[in-house]
Amino acid sequence: MPPPNEQRRAQLTDAAIDLLVESGVHGVTHRAVDRRAGLPAGTASNYFRSREALLVATAGRVVERHQADMADAARAEPVPASNDGVQRATDLIAGSLLLAAGPHRARYLAIFELRLESLRRPALAAALDELMAAMASFTGGHHADLGLDIPPAAIPPMLVMYGGALFALVTGPVEAVTREVAHPLAVAIVEGGLAAARNGESGR
């Protein structure tokens, strides 16, 4: 069997993201994905042997695109003159919330649909947990590369708080997604993560 075409795989999972937003998990079938992607019948099933494999790959695609957005934002965000890593982390998270809940909200609506479906699908739940662990590891490396003063122990609670803030934003009106709303949330995420890390250290 020839190696998978990664561009085609991305095309299929991007189509699945659109279908998740439009009709929920039940609308994501191999046949529907083929139609939405404009590909011949049977293409999706050649790449993803089961519907569950298709759903897991779609979640992976959201994470992949989120990581790419993080890298792009880090390159575009100017380094503060004070080299304040906490302030820079706050600014990057605020920008991430604005992007995710605005232009890219479909991706995150899709991942929340998958998380809810995972309550009924243990294999999907396990795959999503693995993706979250990988995301925590990626975020730690990302912070280190940028020289941000965020301890590793702060990252898991920050990811949980980010997810909660993002859920509130993407399930509300898009016009409510503003910097005035996103920035205080980002402050709470960073301060909460740092506090959790300090409490963890003091409890040892």
Side-chain angles (χ1 to χ4, degrees), residues 1-6 8-10 12-13 29-34 39-51 53-54 57:
M1 179 180 294
N5 180 320
E6 292 304 320
R8 181 62 50 82
R9 188 182 180 91
L12 291 164
T13 48
T29 64
H30 290 93
R31 183 175 298 177
V33 167
D34 287 337
L39 295 170
T43 303
S45 60
N46 284 336
Y47 279 78
F48 312 107
R49 292 299 183 184
S50 67
R51 191 159 169 267
L54 173 59

Side-chain angles (χ1 to χ4, degrees), residues 1-146:
M1 179 180 294
N5 180 320
E6 292 304 320
Q7 184 175 356
R8 181 62 50 82
R9 188 182 180 91
Q11 190 177 357
L12 291 164
T13 48
D14 285 344
I17 289 170
D18 292 340
L19 290 168
L20 277 166
V21 175
E22 289 178 9
S23 50
V25 171
H26 297 298
V28 181
T29 64
H30 290 93
R31 183 175 298 177
V33 167
D34 287 337
R35 284 199 300 268
R36 172 51 64 93
L39 295 170
T43 303
S45 60
N46 284 336
Y47 279 78
F48 312 107
R49 292 299 183 184
S50 67
R51 191 159 169 267
E52 196 153 65
L54 173 59
L55 296 176
V56 169
T58 302
R61 176 64 171 160
V62 174
V63 170
E64 172 191 322
R65 296 180 73 178
H66 182 78
Q67 291 174 347
D69 288 342
M70 288 175 66
D72 289 344
R75 285 190 290 269
E77 184 77 23
V79 178
S82 64
N83 199 28
D84 184 341
V86 171
Q87 181 59 53
R88 191 177 188 205
T90 301
D91 291 341
L92 287 168
I93 290 170
S96 177
L97 287 170
L98 287 170
L99 188 65
H104 296 163
R105 70 167 34 206
R107 297 182 200 169
Y108 301 95
L109 286 169
I111 206 75
F112 289 130
E113 286 278 355
L114 290 172
R115 177 52 84 180
L116 290 172
E117 180 66 12
S118 75
L119 297 175
R120 297 174 288 274
R121 292 174 178 264
L124 179 59
L128 289 174
D129 288 344
E130 286 183 12
L131 282 170
M132 285 304 296
M135 189 66 206
S137 177
F138 175 89
T139 301
H142 183 68
H143 288 173
D145 290 343
L146 294 174

Side-chain angles (χ1 to χ4, degrees), residues 184-195:
L185 291 173
V187 170
I189 290 166
V190 174
E191 291 183 352
L194 293 173

